[in-house]
Amino acid sequence: MSNMRTLVFYATPEHPCSYLNDRLATTMFVDPKADVDQSLYTRLSQLGFRRSGHHYYKPRCNGCNACIPVRIPVARFEPSRSQQRTWTKNKDLQVIKCEPRFRQDHFALYQRYINERHRDGDMFPPTLDQYESFLLESREDTQFVEFRHQSRLLGVAVTDTTQDGLSSIYTFFDPSESRRALGVFGILWQIEEAKCRQLPYLYLGYWIRNCNKMSYKTNYRPIEVLVRDNWVSI
């Protein structure tokens, strides 16, 4: 069984940053052969690591610390008026928890979401191999959470469970339903789910102040940021 003392880490060569123009990035990965149980996954999350498929990673860039890990202490979370309206607006949705396996309607929605919302990102164009390696290569504690309206699939939130919280891996949704703010609703639902399961945190990945796609995370207050290996509330 692997633990923090026996883990081996690897670093990628510098490559163009996916979030900030004219920046070079380096990513640190846990050895893919390591046996990452829930206890170790929890510790890695506490240290700012994220999961993508079977890989656990953390930015480690020369001269840049723009990617700041964030998490929501769910017991103290207070929704804004806008978030309260989003929650109310989506009360007509049916929420269904699923195992992480291939479903054609999930993949079709994922393709549409990437094609319409993230054509400028490194996940474009969306392919089946990319979808499977990113989301279907998962853990025993991974859930796909469907948001449906009258049986029509509107969104999917992919969520892991750690010993101290939920980790929001990815959410994709119908781009034509912008009035519902389904991305916001997905986070609010995960906050409520963590509360119901008496888990203290929702891990949201990285906050990047100067990247519009990543800066929204501090809209959820209070929020904690990882600074010099210490979680600090803002």
Side-chain angles (χ1 to χ4, degrees), residues 117-136:
R117 290 291 186 95
H118 295 288
R119 293 182 67 89
D120 58 343
D122 55 8
M123 291 192 294
F124 179 84
T127 65
L128 180 57
D129 285 346
Q130 173 229 51
Y131 174 75
E132 289 179 340
S133 64
F134 176 32
L135 296 178
L136 296 187

Side-chain angles (χ1 to χ4, degrees), residues 38-197:
Q38 195 181 56
S39 176
L40 182 54
Y41 185 25
T42 300
R43 185 59 185 142
L44 287 169
S45 297
Q46 292 169 346
L47 292 172
F49 282 79
R50 295 289 289 166
R51 183 181 71 80
S52 175
H54 291 319
H55 298 287
Y56 301 84
Y57 68 93
K58 182 178 182 180
R60 189 159 186 160
C61 306
N62 185 29
C64 179
N65 57 1
C67 295
I68 300 176
V70 293
R71 68 185 186 185
I72 299 170
V74 299
R76 297 192 289 122
F77 171 70
E78 296 184 7
S80 66
R81 290 182 180 180
S82 174
Q83 290 163 353
Q84 287 176 330
R85 288 194 296 268
T86 296
W87 183 257
T88 301
K89 192 179 297 182
N90 288 288
K91 280 189 173 181
D92 60 340
L93 296 186
Q94 182 183 15
V95 179
I96 303 170
K97 301 175 184 177
C98 312
E99 294 180 356
R101 63 177 177 81
F102 180 80
R103 294 171 175 81
Q104 183 58 50
D105 58 347
H106 286 197
F107 179 55
L109 183 63
Y110 175 83
Q111 286 182 301
R112 186 178 173 194
Y113 175 75
I114 297 297
N115 284 332
E116 296 191 29
R117 290 291 186 95
H118 295 288
R119 293 182 67 89
D120 58 343
D122 55 8
M123 291 192 294
F124 179 84
T127 65
L128 180 57
D129 285 346
Q130 173 229 51
Y131 174 75
E132 289 179 340
S133 64
F134 176 32
L135 296 178
L136 296 187
E137 292 181 2
S138 55
R139 298 176 50 87
E140 292 182 357
D141 47 44
T142 301
Q143 280 190 329
F144 278 45
V145 183
E146 298 180 339
F147 305 124
R148 292 183 178 269
H149 182 251
Q150 297 178 352
S151 79
R152 178 183 162 215
L153 182 67
L154 297 188
V156 177
V158 182
T159 305
D160 287 351
T161 301
T162 68
Q163 292 176 336
D164 69 347
L166 298 180
S167 180
S168 181
I169 301 300
Y170 200 67
T171 301
F172 54 96
F173 49 85
D174 188 339
S176 69
E177 294 286 340
S178 57
R179 69 175 189 84
R180 286 185 176 272
L182 289 165
V184 175
F185 177 73
I187 292 176
L188 295 175
W189 184 87
Q190 289 172 81
I191 291 171
E192 290 304 310
E193 177 71 1
K195 285 182 182 178
C196 289
R197 293 166 62 177

